[in-house]
Amino acid sequence: MLVNSIIILVLNSIILRYVYELEKKSCKCSLNGQQQFIKYFAPVIIFVSLIGLFVSDKTFLQTVLSNKLLGVVFSIYTIIGMAYGINLVLYFLKLVYSKCECSRDWKRYGMLYPALGMAIILLLVLVITCLLYTSPSPRDGLL
């Protein structure tokens, strides 16, 4: 969880800085509800990532499972986090396809990390599934 927390912390810090820079520039094509959602939820993700730096996976999971209120809060955080990931990708696409010149910056591509993460997970699931169903077993008489 340490490496994962560091990656999420760095990426969300870059995204948050980018959103604040757009706001400071008064970039009209970038200021909307999607930008506000990112602006207010990215610090929450950064805070949770900081917790992940100091608490082990096992301790965190045990705490969430043993405390019902914390379990509900974490479930809500997870659901909003999924919406946040979708929002990041949609906001990125909006900025790119609207040809918003004031939003051009390398930091804009940081918003694609949820899509990249999901693509990697889907690829792994596909590869594992293919390996499980195509590898010979003793029943086949090939071993």
Side-chain angles (χ1 to χ4, degrees):
M1 187 158 167
L2 181 66
V3 174
N4 187 31
S5 292
I6 291 171
I7 292 170
I8 290 172
L9 181 70
V10 168
L11 286 173
N12 278 284
S13 297
I14 291 169
I15 290 168
L16 187 60
R17 181 180 170 114
Y18 173 68
V19 167
Y20 277 120
E21 286 173 0
L22 290 177
E23 190 173 60
K24 188 176 178 182
K25 283 189 223 177
S26 297
C27 180
K28 300 254 188 268
C29 52
S30 67
L31 302 176
N32 60 22
Q34 290 174 307
Q35 180 260 357
Q36 291 295 314
F37 182 41
I38 294 167
K39 179 179 158 183
Y40 293 118
F41 196 69
V44 174
I45 292 179
I46 291 169
F47 178 73
V48 172
S49 297
L50 285 172
I51 292 171
L53 292 175
F54 301 106
V55 178
S56 72
D57 289 345
K58 187 177 180 180
T59 305
F60 182 75
L61 188 61
Q62 286 174 346
T63 305
V64 168
L65 292 176
S66 66
N67 186 328
K68 287 186 180 186
L69 178 62
L70 194 57
V72 169
V73 169
F74 187 71
S75 297
I76 292 169
Y77 166 78
T78 303
I79 292 167
I80 296 173
M82 285 187 241
Y84 174 78
I86 293 167
N87 183 60
L88 282 175
V89 174
L90 293 176
Y91 186 61
F92 169 82
L93 293 173
K94 177 193 172 287
L95 294 176
V96 170
Y97 289 118
S98 70
K99 300 193 186 329
C100 181
E101 290 298 319
C102 55
S103 72
R104 288 189 141 205
D105 194 341
W106 66 269
K107 295 178 202 119
R108 179 169 71 179
Y109 295 96
M111 291 187 283
L112 289 178
Y113 86 88
L116 182 61
M118 286 304 295
I120 291 170
I121 290 170
L122 289 174
L123 183 64
L124 286 173
V125 167
L126 181 66
V127 167
I128 290 170
T129 302
C130 288
L131 289 174
L132 287 174
Y133 287 108
T134 59
S135 60
S137 70
R139 292 179 288 149
D140 299 333
L142 299 172
L143 294 177

